[in-house]
Amino acid sequence: MSSDPADLPLDELDEAILQQVRDVSDIVDPPPPDLDDRALFAIGLEAMEFEVARLQEDVTAAGARVSANTRAVTFEADSLTIMATISAVGEGHSRIEGWLAPPGPRRVDLRSTGHDGPSRRVFAEPSGRFVFERVPSGVTQFVVRVEPHGLMVVTSLLLL
């Protein structure tokens, strides 16, 4: 048997020290209050085969013609780029106008923790343009079917 204390089972003093470390961690760097909801939302995808489109740009728009409550985001994957303009339309809601590149009449689903019920679904125009009206605040994610029975592109999470 080893005489190294690291090989011995934890005792009451070890447990007390670990509890103090947990308490300090909860005070100094607590987890976000919605961490559980975000984790469940992220793993709730039905499709197992998908490509992740990562957020490449998230810019709050500014200028004479643009409201201060407008953001432009871009997600990129190998097979698809998703660009969207997000505009506040009243307290707790946004309008999302997006474009797919390459363009095409694809199905676009919007998953959102702020929305009761299943995902919202629209079909992009042949130009790749799509719109979601009155999207509630919360964690949001785009899911785009690239081929009729094939790959799905899923964006990383976006907080509205």
Side-chain angles (χ1 to χ4, degrees):
M1 183 164 192
S2 172
S3 61
D4 186 353
D7 293 333
L8 298 174
L10 297 178
D11 62 17
E12 289 179 23
L13 178 60
D14 295 326
E15 293 292 341
I17 292 170
L18 288 173
Q19 184 59 51
Q20 288 177 349
V21 170
R22 281 191 288 275
D23 292 344
V24 168
S25 177
D26 286 345
I27 292 169
V28 175
D29 188 21
D34 62 347
L35 180 63
D36 292 344
D37 291 338
R38 285 185 186 203
L40 291 171
F41 179 77
I43 62 175
L45 289 173
E46 296 173 20
M48 294 304 291
E49 297 214 14
F50 56 86
E51 179 181 1
V52 176
R54 304 223 181 269
L55 182 64
Q56 297 299 312
E57 188 172 28
D58 187 348
V59 178
T60 300
R65 295 184 181 188
V66 180
S67 164
N69 296 325
T70 300
R71 293 166 64 187
V73 295
T74 302
F75 295 93
E76 291 185 6
D78 288 341
S79 62
L80 188 70
T81 298
I82 302 167
M83 298 162 285
T85 300
I86 303 164
S87 304
V89 290
E91 191 171 325
H93 289 85
S94 297
R95 179 181 191 272
I96 300 174
E97 183 174 5
W99 299 268
L100 305 175
R106 298 186 178 98
R107 186 181 89 190
V108 181
D109 291 329
L110 183 74
R111 299 178 67 232
S112 176
T113 59
H115 182 263
D116 294 329
S119 302
R120 291 183 180 193
R121 176 174 294 163
V122 297
F123 288 88
E125 299 169 0
S127 66
R129 182 180 176 273
F130 62 91
V131 175
F132 288 98
E133 300 286 351
R134 296 198 47 82
V135 178
S137 298
V139 178
T140 302
Q141 184 176 50
F142 296 104
V143 180
V144 180
R145 183 176 299 275
V146 177
E147 303 173 79
H149 300 289
L151 182 69
M152 305 272 272
V153 173
V154 178
T155 64
S156 51
L157 301 180
L158 178 66
L159 183 60
L160 297 182

